[in-house]
């Protein structure tokens, strides 16, 4: 199956907008599939990975994964360093949060795309939508307490849109890349 060229454009445009507040860090791309062999997550250095040929290579990598049957996810916040020996991409790898987000499943009563009109980015997931509100400047997080406070704000943001949404407020959250296919169903 061939995907339209606009999907690669949509993917890189989404990433450029989501990661606009950041001057450093790494974007994590994580392919997942219940039906395909394991594919490695990859990281890309900000801001270079969003420009020129590197941006094209990143978007082509994402679309290549999607065309091979992977659900392609991105870490919503940049990681401080790529994965390596003894290094994980969990909450301790998040030092900046420049957005709030919500996962709005279509099956939740009262959900519709229109309630995300105040979001800066809306991504159709195939079963609903992800909404993002981009901050003018990223918040610095350097402790578990900072992360817990930010996660509470993200959860409050989601509840302000529609109570009962999935709790996806963790700062190391991964969500679907715009322009990719939902293969889960």
């Amino acid at each position: 199956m061939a995907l339209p060229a606009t999907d690669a454009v949509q993917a890189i445009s989404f990433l450029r907008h989501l990661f606009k507040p950041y001057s450093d860090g790494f974007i994590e791309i994580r392919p997942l599939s219940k039906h395909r062999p394991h594919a490695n997550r990859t990281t890309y250095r900000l801001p270079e990975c969003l420009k020129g040929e590197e941006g094209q290579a990143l978007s082509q990598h994402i679309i290549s994964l999607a065309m091979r049957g992977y659900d392609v996810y991105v870490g919503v916040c940049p990681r401080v360093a790529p994965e390596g020996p003894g290094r994980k991409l969990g909450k301790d790898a998040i030092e900046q949060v420049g957005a709030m987000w919500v996962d709005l499943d279509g099956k939740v009563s009262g959900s519709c795309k229109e309630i995300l009109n105040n979001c800066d980015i809306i991504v159709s997931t195939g079963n609903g939508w992800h909404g993002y509100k981009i901050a003018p400047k990223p918040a610095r997080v350097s402790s578990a307490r900072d992360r817990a406070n930010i996660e509470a704000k993200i959860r409050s943001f989601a509840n302000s849109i529609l109570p009962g949404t999935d709790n996806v407020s963790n700062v190391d959250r991964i969500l679907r890349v715009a322009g990719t296919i939902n293969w889960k169903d």
Side-chain angles (χ1 to χ4, degrees), residues 31-67:
L32 299 174
S33 176
K34 293 179 183 176
H35 310 290
R36 301 269 182 229
H38 175 73
N40 291 328
R41 66 179 99 187
T42 52
T43 55
Y44 295 85
R45 180 178 282 287
L46 285 167
E48 296 86 2
C49 69
L50 300 175
K51 300 175 183 173
E53 289 180 16
E54 289 188 46
Q56 289 177 338
L58 171 55
S59 62
Q60 289 305 313
H61 173 68
I62 290 167
I63 297 307
S64 171
L65 290 166
M67 288 174 58

Side-chain angles (χ1 to χ4, degrees), residues 97-135:
V97 178
M100 291 186 287
W101 54 88
V102 60
D103 181 0
L104 186 61
D105 286 337
K107 65 184 175 198
V108 174
S109 179
S111 68
C112 63
K113 181 180 175 184
E114 289 71 30
I115 66 174
L116 297 174
N117 283 342
N118 289 330
C119 291
D120 298 312
I121 304 171
I122 301 170
V123 175
S124 176
T125 65
N127 289 322
W129 308 270
H130 295 156
Y132 299 87
K133 187 71 173 171
I134 307 299

Side-chain angles (χ1 to χ4, degrees), residues 34-35 71 125-128 176 181-185:
K34 293 179 183 176
H35 310 290
D71 288 297
T125 65
N127 289 322
R176 183 170 304 283
I181 297 170
N182 186 337
W183 292 100
K184 290 187 298 187
D185 297 325

